[in-house]
Amino acid sequence: MFVTLSLLLAANLWWRHQESLRLGEARAANLALILGEHLSLTLTAFETTLRQLAQHGERLGGPRAPASAWAILSAMRESLPGAGSISVVDESGTITHSTIAEIVGQSRRDLYLFQRMTQGATDDLIVDKPFRGRGGRLLIPLGRRLAAPDGSFAGGIVVAFEPELLRGFFKSVDVGTNGRLWVLHPAGLVLFREPSGGDPMGQPAPAALGEAFAAARGDGGLLRAPLEPSGPAYLTAYRRIANAPLAVAVSLAERDVLAAWRSEAVAAAGIIAGVGLLLFAAGFLIGHEIRARDEAETRALAQAEALATAVAERDDANANLRANEARFLAIMDHTPLTVSLKDRAGRYTFVNRALQDYLGRPPEEILGRTLADFRPHIFADAMSAHDRDVIAEKRAIQREIRDPEGARDFLAVKFPVLEDGEVSALGTIMLDITELKRMQSTLVHAQKMEALGQLTGGIAHDFNNLLTAILLNSDVLASRIENPSLRALAEAMRGAADRGADLTRRLLAFGRQQALEPRPTDVNELLWRMEPLMHRTLGEHIEIALERADALWLAQVDSGQLENAVLNLAVNARDAMPSRGRLTIETANVELDETAARFDAKPGDYVMVAVSDTGSGMSEQVLAHVFEPFFTTKEVGRGTGLGLSMVYGFVKQSGGHVQVYSELGVGTVVKLYLPRAHEAAATEPAGAATAELPHGDEVILLVEDDALVRAHAEHQLASLGYRVVAAEQAVQALQLMNDGLRPDLLFTDMVMPGGINGRELGERARQLLPGLKVLYTTGYAGAASVALATDALSSPYVLGKPYRRRDLATKVRAVLDESAAG
């Protein structure tokens, strides 16, 4: 008992130690994200002001316009909290206008900021290294390029941003007794630190933090290391700012993060010592005092239960803490902003085009009127209340507001325009964040489906190599064995391999990596041919109604895969109607406009196939996973979960879209949107399946990294009369051709180790032997991806894995018989 309890406590302490560190890292990352968004929003106001001044300058003549034209600089500086100065420089780098008169005429030609402006036309915010302004304040120059009417460089506008204005917000963030908050410049300088512990502004950042930030890729990262040599360990999360080359970092002292854990370790050590003493005493007296032993065991069990209860309560508290820390406001950038100016009475004096479009009126109908003239009073009253707050506090405020009329969400920044210390006007900048919120949900779903597709495609690729060898062997055995019982075994093996091939095709269909043969298809005719099969498959208790649209367009689709998709949907509908029901298949011509992007489809013409039933329907929770592979609501043995995922992947790979509507107790409708074909339907030659296998005597260079597939493919080609030279990798194949081998055909796998894939091998082989015929094989990507990856020198042939002996013989002969011009 003592050893078991000790091991349990030690394991729990180790887990709690790791959990405390992980929670500390997560908390540091969340704080870095929040501080980064706060700094990004602060810089957004400066970026917006610079954009407005740039447009103002372009209208009035640029930096060389008279001083009266640039009188707006002072008003703009007053509206920006923390702005040190605003200056205008001409194309030579000379300051022509500034809120600080003493620096007019000075040159800024050698500054990094000015040199970046001259390098090319860009609307990006440019940030220079910090410098000390008047009074010793640390300032960061922010700049924006000015363009002449012909687009050439005409100078720029520079505003000095004082990062110290962030101090108040950063002080409100709890980072523990020894924690630190940083704002870093990409040059490796500390803009400020909280707590400051002196004046670190402009000083180099700690070496460990600077090196990690310089080597990081993406938006940020985590660092667990001392900030000073031989100093205490810190958990540091750092994050880049989206709209400026700055970064924020949050350093939590590891000793603060592990303070609670240390208390737990001390308590656990006390418990172990106490339990050990009790057990020792009990063992010493076991022969004489049975009653004392029972009491000691009872106390030990009670302590263990109390410890388990405390651990469970602590775990619940940590889970709640993680949930609370995960709630933060996601601010999206690069979205059109609405900008306006109003007088103290709320009447508009200036509106930009985005606000005109939002209100749906020309400027002459807006100016001189209030928001209450255009929007519901509940929205207008809320905006007016914020305006009164700005007037009372004489500072900028930020609010998130909802317009009930259009069900739109906005992030609003309101700021005062001061004259002689009094508010003379009010400015408003609003960002519409409604679409950004919707797109976030769509993106998460798309990423999940893409990850599942890559996983299933990889599994199918490896499985196809095994099936290729099995199918080739079973074909040979079935054709050569005369014993009926043995031939039956070979046929059974071939049937099992075919079922495995069907499984990989379904996996590749979901991953959108199957080899499709899309061609113009009459969907109405295809469904008419399928109707007898569906009657036999579904049974007499299911009523089938086929409603085919007149003058239906042709669909550009693989007809065989479409038959499988419709049959899968029909079988699913049958399973949802076990006693009786009605299955309706409907076709229609559908034109999707630009709103189609809202449900992940491209605008254009589509042929719609709707399969609806009157079955049990699905809940919202089931609908959220309905296209995922291996997800099924059927009992064990009745469903693989690949039917709808195959339908989803096939339609997506064909360039179409799938929509599902379902309601419990009512039924389900699945709509397939297939791209319209603009060519006539093609016919297939008859009798190809019964033709005798073609032979030949040409030289074939076979390149395949899988030894099993390579051996059987070599044997099959030799049995067809060809002279075969096999190589394991592309490097060996190229060496054989350099040594004098002149094959008539290169038969190569697409995906191989060694640094050279099949596409690159084909290109290099044609450089050595112009006019060489090439046949690709793959169990991963479809023919379309191979065609995109090759150059325009030839039209490549592709043989998908797993392939049969007939497939191999037919495809090899087709490539060899292709004309040299092809």
PDB file of all heavy atoms in Angstrom, residues 97-121:
ATOM      1  N   HIS A  97       6.077  70.343 -44.098  1.00  0.00           N
ATOM      2  CA  HIS A  97       5.036  70.751 -43.152  1.00  0.00           C
ATOM      3  C   HIS A  97       5.166  69.863 -41.917  1.00  0.00           C
ATOM      4  O   HIS A  97       5.481  68.679 -42.036  1.00  0.00           O
ATOM      5  CB  HIS A  97       3.632  70.567 -43.749  1.00  0.00           C
ATOM      6  CG  HIS A  97       3.433  71.256 -45.080  1.00  0.00           C
ATOM      7  ND1 HIS A  97       3.229  72.594 -45.202  1.00  0.00           N
ATOM      8  CD2 HIS A  97       3.456  70.741 -46.346  1.00  0.00           C
ATOM      9  CE1 HIS A  97       3.105  72.901 -46.479  1.00  0.00           C
ATOM     10  NE2 HIS A  97       3.244  71.777 -47.201  1.00  0.00           N
ATOM     11  N   SER A  98       4.895  70.408 -40.746  1.00  0.00           N
ATOM     12  CA  SER A  98       4.985  69.628 -39.523  1.00  0.00           C
ATOM     13  C   SER A  98       4.235  70.335 -38.412  1.00  0.00           C
ATOM     14  O   SER A  98       4.063  71.563 -38.425  1.00  0.00           O
ATOM     15  CB  SER A  98       6.453  69.421 -39.117  1.00  0.00           C
ATOM     16  OG  SER A  98       6.522  68.712 -37.891  1.00  0.00           O
ATOM     17  N   THR A  99       3.757  69.539 -37.454  1.00  0.00           N
ATOM     18  CA  THR A  99       3.133  70.124 -36.253  1.00  0.00           C
ATOM     19  C   THR A  99       4.201  70.712 -35.328  1.00  0.00           C
ATOM     20  O   THR A  99       3.881  71.385 -34.352  1.00  0.00           O
ATOM     21  CB  THR A  99       2.342  69.041 -35.512  1.00  0.00           C
ATOM     22  OG1 THR A  99       3.220  67.958 -35.199  1.00  0.00           O
ATOM     23  CG2 THR A  99       1.186  68.542 -36.344  1.00  0.00           C
ATOM     24  N   ILE A 100       5.480  70.426 -35.597  1.00  0.00           N
ATOM     25  CA  ILE A 100       6.598  71.058 -34.873  1.00  0.00           C
ATOM     26  C   ILE A 100       7.307  71.962 -35.864  1.00  0.00           C
ATOM     27  O   ILE A 100       8.040  71.510 -36.763  1.00  0.00           O
ATOM     28  CB  ILE A 100       7.561  70.001 -34.299  1.00  0.00           C
ATOM     29  CG1 ILE A 100       6.806  69.063 -33.352  1.00  0.00           C
ATOM     30  CG2 ILE A 100       8.711  70.666 -33.564  1.00  0.00           C
ATOM     31  CD1 ILE A 100       7.662  67.939 -32.796  1.00  0.00           C
ATOM     32  N   ALA A 101       7.084  73.250 -35.743  1.00  0.00           N
ATOM     33  CA  ALA A 101       7.581  74.204 -36.744  1.00  0.00           C
ATOM     34  C   ALA A 101       9.110  74.206 -36.822  1.00  0.00           C
ATOM     35  O   ALA A 101       9.692  74.479 -37.887  1.00  0.00           O
ATOM     36  CB  ALA A 101       7.074  75.620 -36.410  1.00  0.00           C
ATOM     37  N   GLU A 102       9.789  73.884 -35.723  1.00  0.00           N
ATOM     38  CA  GLU A 102      11.247  73.999 -35.704  1.00  0.00           C
ATOM     39  C   GLU A 102      11.929  73.015 -36.655  1.00  0.00           C
ATOM     40  O   GLU A 102      13.079  73.246 -37.058  1.00  0.00           O
ATOM     41  CB  GLU A 102      11.784  73.747 -34.279  1.00  0.00           C
ATOM     42  CG  GLU A 102      11.398  74.810 -33.272  1.00  0.00           C
ATOM     43  CD  GLU A 102      10.019  74.577 -32.682  1.00  0.00           C
ATOM     44  OE1 GLU A 102       9.325  73.686 -33.223  1.00  0.00           O
ATOM     45  OE2 GLU A 102       9.649  75.291 -31.737  1.00  0.00           O
ATOM     46  N   ILE A 103      11.274  71.932 -37.009  1.00  0.00           N
ATOM     47  CA  ILE A 103      11.967  70.932 -37.834  1.00  0.00           C
ATOM     48  C   ILE A 103      11.637  71.080 -39.321  1.00  0.00           C
ATOM     49  O   ILE A 103      12.137  70.308 -40.135  1.00  0.00           O
ATOM     50  CB  ILE A 103      11.595  69.522 -37.366  1.00  0.00           C
ATOM     51  CG1 ILE A 103      10.110  69.239 -37.609  1.00  0.00           C
ATOM     52  CG2 ILE A 103      11.944  69.305 -35.916  1.00  0.00           C
ATOM     53  CD1 ILE A 103       9.720  67.811 -37.315  1.00  0.00           C
ATOM     54  N   VAL A 104      10.784  72.048 -39.676  1.00  0.00           N
ATOM     55  CA  VAL A 104      10.482  72.268 -41.097  1.00  0.00           C
ATOM     56  C   VAL A 104      11.767  72.679 -41.809  1.00  0.00           C
ATOM     57  O   VAL A 104      12.495  73.570 -41.348  1.00  0.00           O
ATOM     58  CB  VAL A 104       9.388  73.339 -41.259  1.00  0.00           C
ATOM     59  CG1 VAL A 104       9.186  73.665 -42.733  1.00  0.00           C
ATOM     60  CG2 VAL A 104       8.091  72.845 -40.643  1.00  0.00           C
ATOM     61  N   GLY A 105      12.045  72.047 -42.922  1.00  0.00           N
ATOM     62  CA  GLY A 105      13.256  72.324 -43.685  1.00  0.00           C
ATOM     63  C   GLY A 105      14.357  71.312 -43.418  1.00  0.00           C
ATOM     64  O   GLY A 105      15.313  71.242 -44.188  1.00  0.00           O
ATOM     65  N   GLN A 106      14.238  70.551 -42.345  1.00  0.00           N
ATOM     66  CA  GLN A 106      15.251  69.535 -42.079  1.00  0.00           C
ATOM     67  C   GLN A 106      15.095  68.362 -43.060  1.00  0.00           C
ATOM     68  O   GLN A 106      14.022  68.113 -43.573  1.00  0.00           O
ATOM     69  CB  GLN A 106      15.129  69.025 -40.637  1.00  0.00           C
ATOM     70  CG  GLN A 106      15.431  70.074 -39.597  1.00  0.00           C
ATOM     71  CD  GLN A 106      15.338  69.500 -38.190  1.00  0.00           C
ATOM     72  OE1 GLN A 106      15.197  68.284 -38.004  1.00  0.00           O
ATOM     73  NE2 GLN A 106      15.427  70.374 -37.189  1.00  0.00           N
ATOM     74  N   SER A 107      16.206  67.644 -43.279  1.00  0.00           N
ATOM     75  CA  SER A 107      16.205  66.527 -44.230  1.00  0.00           C
ATOM     76  C   SER A 107      16.083  65.205 -43.483  1.00  0.00           C
ATOM     77  O   SER A 107      16.690  65.007 -42.441  1.00  0.00           O
ATOM     78  CB  SER A 107      17.497  66.523 -45.053  1.00  0.00           C
ATOM     79  OG  SER A 107      17.545  65.383 -45.900  1.00  0.00           O
ATOM     80  N   ARG A 108      15.271  64.311 -44.018  1.00  0.00           N
ATOM     81  CA  ARG A 108      15.132  62.942 -43.507  1.00  0.00           C
ATOM     82  C   ARG A 108      15.506  61.932 -44.588  1.00  0.00           C
ATOM     83  O   ARG A 108      15.074  60.787 -44.583  1.00  0.00           O
ATOM     84  CB  ARG A 108      13.675  62.700 -43.057  1.00  0.00           C
ATOM     85  CG  ARG A 108      13.229  63.576 -41.909  1.00  0.00           C
ATOM     86  CD  ARG A 108      13.971  63.232 -40.629  1.00  0.00           C
ATOM     87  NE  ARG A 108      13.492  63.991 -39.486  1.00  0.00           N
ATOM     88  CZ  ARG A 108      14.025  65.127 -39.063  1.00  0.00           C
ATOM     89  NH1 ARG A 108      15.097  65.624 -39.702  1.00  0.00           N
ATOM     90  NH2 ARG A 108      13.522  65.761 -38.014  1.00  0.00           N
ATOM     91  N   ARG A 109      16.355  62.354 -45.508  1.00  0.00           N
ATOM     92  CA  ARG A 109      16.693  61.521 -46.666  1.00  0.00           C
ATOM     93  C   ARG A 109      17.423  60.232 -46.268  1.00  0.00           C
ATOM     94  O   ARG A 109      17.244  59.187 -46.887  1.00  0.00           O
ATOM     95  CB  ARG A 109      17.560  62.321 -47.632  1.00  0.00           C
ATOM     96  CG  ARG A 109      17.887  61.578 -48.936  1.00  0.00           C
ATOM     97  CD  ARG A 109      18.708  62.432 -49.866  1.00  0.00           C
ATOM     98  NE  ARG A 109      18.914  61.752 -51.129  1.00  0.00           N
ATOM     99  CZ  ARG A 109      18.072  61.811 -52.145  1.00  0.00           C
ATOM    100  NH1 ARG A 109      16.958  62.507 -52.036  1.00  0.00           N
ATOM    101  NH2 ARG A 109      18.322  61.172 -53.281  1.00  0.00           N
ATOM    102  N   ASP A 110      18.242  60.272 -45.198  1.00  0.00           N
ATOM    103  CA  ASP A 110      19.051  59.115 -44.819  1.00  0.00           C
ATOM    104  C   ASP A 110      18.301  58.126 -43.927  1.00  0.00           C
ATOM    105  O   ASP A 110      18.843  57.085 -43.569  1.00  0.00           O
ATOM    106  CB  ASP A 110      20.316  59.586 -44.093  1.00  0.00           C
ATOM    107  CG  ASP A 110      21.218  60.410 -45.007  1.00  0.00           C
ATOM    108  OD1 ASP A 110      21.157  60.184 -46.231  1.00  0.00           O
ATOM    109  OD2 ASP A 110      21.949  61.273 -44.494  1.00  0.00           O
ATOM    110  N   LEU A 111      17.075  58.464 -43.536  1.00  0.00           N
ATOM    111  CA  LEU A 111      16.333  57.568 -42.651  1.00  0.00           C
ATOM    112  C   LEU A 111      15.854  56.336 -43.416  1.00  0.00           C
ATOM    113  O   LEU A 111      15.501  56.403 -44.587  1.00  0.00           O
ATOM    114  CB  LEU A 111      15.129  58.288 -42.032  1.00  0.00           C
ATOM    115  CG  LEU A 111      15.444  59.400 -41.031  1.00  0.00           C
ATOM    116  CD1 LEU A 111      14.161  59.955 -40.451  1.00  0.00           C
ATOM    117  CD2 LEU A 111      16.339  58.879 -39.908  1.00  0.00           C
ATOM    118  N   TYR A 112      15.839  55.218 -42.704  1.00  0.00           N
ATOM    119  CA  TYR A 112      15.316  53.966 -43.261  1.00  0.00           C
ATOM    120  C   TYR A 112      13.878  54.146 -43.737  1.00  0.00           C
ATOM    121  O   TYR A 112      13.463  53.622 -44.772  1.00  0.00           O
ATOM    122  CB  TYR A 112      15.403  52.879 -42.193  1.00  0.00           C
ATOM    123  CG  TYR A 112      14.603  51.640 -42.501  1.00  0.00           C
ATOM    124  CD1 TYR A 112      15.070  50.657 -43.363  1.00  0.00           C
ATOM    125  CD2 TYR A 112      13.361  51.445 -41.885  1.00  0.00           C
ATOM    126  CE1 TYR A 112      14.324  49.529 -43.622  1.00  0.00           C
ATOM    127  CE2 TYR A 112      12.617  50.312 -42.149  1.00  0.00           C
ATOM    128  CZ  TYR A 112      13.116  49.361 -43.028  1.00  0.00           C
ATOM    129  OH  TYR A 112      12.371  48.236 -43.277  1.00  0.00           O
ATOM    130  N   LEU A 113      13.087  54.920 -42.975  1.00  0.00           N
ATOM    131  CA  LEU A 113      11.679  55.148 -43.301  1.00  0.00           C
ATOM    132  C   LEU A 113      11.540  55.765 -44.689  1.00  0.00           C
ATOM    133  O   LEU A 113      10.747  55.335 -45.524  1.00  0.00           O
ATOM    134  CB  LEU A 113      11.069  56.049 -42.231  1.00  0.00           C
ATOM    135  CG  LEU A 113       9.553  56.278 -42.295  1.00  0.00           C
ATOM    136  CD1 LEU A 113       8.843  55.038 -41.814  1.00  0.00           C
ATOM    137  CD2 LEU A 113       9.159  57.461 -41.429  1.00  0.00           C
ATOM    138  N   PHE A 114      12.325  56.846 -44.960  1.00  0.00           N
ATOM    139  CA  PHE A 114      12.234  57.531 -46.242  1.00  0.00           C
ATOM    140  C   PHE A 114      12.727  56.634 -47.381  1.00  0.00           C
ATOM    141  O   PHE A 114      12.143  56.591 -48.467  1.00  0.00           O
ATOM    142  CB  PHE A 114      13.048  58.819 -46.190  1.00  0.00           C
ATOM    143  CG  PHE A 114      13.037  59.592 -47.498  1.00  0.00           C
ATOM    144  CD1 PHE A 114      11.932  60.364 -47.840  1.00  0.00           C
ATOM    145  CD2 PHE A 114      14.094  59.495 -48.387  1.00  0.00           C
ATOM    146  CE1 PHE A 114      11.925  61.049 -49.049  1.00  0.00           C
ATOM    147  CE2 PHE A 114      14.068  60.182 -49.576  1.00  0.00           C
ATOM    148  CZ  PHE A 114      12.981  60.972 -49.913  1.00  0.00           C
ATOM    149  N   GLN A 115      13.799  55.862 -47.135  1.00  0.00           N
ATOM    150  CA  GLN A 115      14.318  54.981 -48.184  1.00  0.00           C
ATOM    151  C   GLN A 115      13.316  53.903 -48.570  1.00  0.00           C
ATOM    152  O   GLN A 115      13.197  53.542 -49.732  1.00  0.00           O
ATOM    153  CB  GLN A 115      15.627  54.350 -47.703  1.00  0.00           C
ATOM    154  CG  GLN A 115      16.749  55.368 -47.510  1.00  0.00           C
ATOM    155  CD  GLN A 115      17.999  54.750 -46.893  1.00  0.00           C
ATOM    156  OE1 GLN A 115      18.021  53.551 -46.630  1.00  0.00           O
ATOM    157  NE2 GLN A 115      19.007  55.561 -46.648  1.00  0.00           N
ATOM    158  N   ARG A 116      12.557  53.388 -47.583  1.00  0.00           N
ATOM    159  CA  ARG A 116      11.525  52.411 -47.902  1.00  0.00           C
ATOM    160  C   ARG A 116      10.427  53.023 -48.752  1.00  0.00           C
ATOM    161  O   ARG A 116       9.861  52.369 -49.632  1.00  0.00           O
ATOM    162  CB  ARG A 116      10.904  51.856 -46.620  1.00  0.00           C
ATOM    163  CG  ARG A 116      11.716  50.764 -45.955  1.00  0.00           C
ATOM    164  CD  ARG A 116      11.761  49.505 -46.784  1.00  0.00           C
ATOM    165  NE  ARG A 116      10.425  49.063 -47.177  1.00  0.00           N
ATOM    166  CZ  ARG A 116       9.666  48.328 -46.419  1.00  0.00           C
ATOM    167  NH1 ARG A 116      10.088  47.916 -45.253  1.00  0.00           N
ATOM    168  NH2 ARG A 116       8.447  47.969 -46.825  1.00  0.00           N
ATOM    169  N   MET A 117      10.081  54.321 -48.473  1.00  0.00           N
ATOM    170  CA  MET A 117       9.024  54.969 -49.270  1.00  0.00           C
ATOM    171  C   MET A 117       9.420  55.086 -50.739  1.00  0.00           C
ATOM    172  O   MET A 117       8.580  54.979 -51.638  1.00  0.00           O
ATOM    173  CB  MET A 117       8.730  56.358 -48.713  1.00  0.00           C
ATOM    174  CG  MET A 117       8.064  56.368 -47.347  1.00  0.00           C
ATOM    175  SD  MET A 117       7.786  58.059 -46.805  1.00  0.00           S
ATOM    176  CE  MET A 117       7.082  57.790 -45.185  1.00  0.00           C
ATOM    177  N   THR A 118      10.694  55.281 -51.014  1.00  0.00           N
ATOM    178  CA  THR A 118      11.137  55.512 -52.394  1.00  0.00           C
ATOM    179  C   THR A 118      11.313  54.222 -53.181  1.00  0.00           C
ATOM    180  O   THR A 118      11.505  54.272 -54.382  1.00  0.00           O
ATOM    181  CB  THR A 118      12.476  56.273 -52.384  1.00  0.00           C
ATOM    182  OG1 THR A 118      13.472  55.453 -51.732  1.00  0.00           O
ATOM    183  CG2 THR A 118      12.343  57.600 -51.654  1.00  0.00           C
ATOM    184  N   GLN A 119      11.250  53.071 -52.525  1.00  0.00           N
ATOM    185  CA  GLN A 119      11.572  51.812 -53.199  1.00  0.00           C
ATOM    186  C   GLN A 119      10.471  51.293 -54.103  1.00  0.00           C
ATOM    187  O   GLN A 119      10.674  50.422 -54.905  1.00  0.00           O
ATOM    188  CB  GLN A 119      11.928  50.742 -52.158  1.00  0.00           C
ATOM    189  CG  GLN A 119      13.264  51.000 -51.499  1.00  0.00           C
ATOM    190  CD  GLN A 119      13.575  49.999 -50.405  1.00  0.00           C
ATOM    191  OE1 GLN A 119      12.767  49.130 -50.116  1.00  0.00           O
ATOM    192  NE2 GLN A 119      14.740  50.136 -49.792  1.00  0.00           N
ATOM    193  N   GLY A 120       9.232  51.774 -53.920  1.00  0.00           N
ATOM    194  CA  GLY A 120       8.156  51.304 -54.776  1.00  0.00           C
ATOM    195  C   GLY A 120       6.810  51.686 -54.216  1.00  0.00           C
ATOM    196  O   GLY A 120       6.681  52.036 -53.040  1.00  0.00           O
ATOM    197  N   ALA A 121       5.799  51.604 -55.077  1.00  0.00           N
ATOM    198  CA  ALA A 121       4.440  51.983 -54.668  1.00  0.00           C
ATOM    199  C   ALA A 121       3.887  50.932 -53.718  1.00  0.00           C
ATOM    200  O   ALA A 121       3.794  49.770 -54.055  1.00  0.00           O
ATOM    201  CB  ALA A 121       3.544  52.123 -55.896  1.00  0.00           C
TER     202      ALA A 121
END
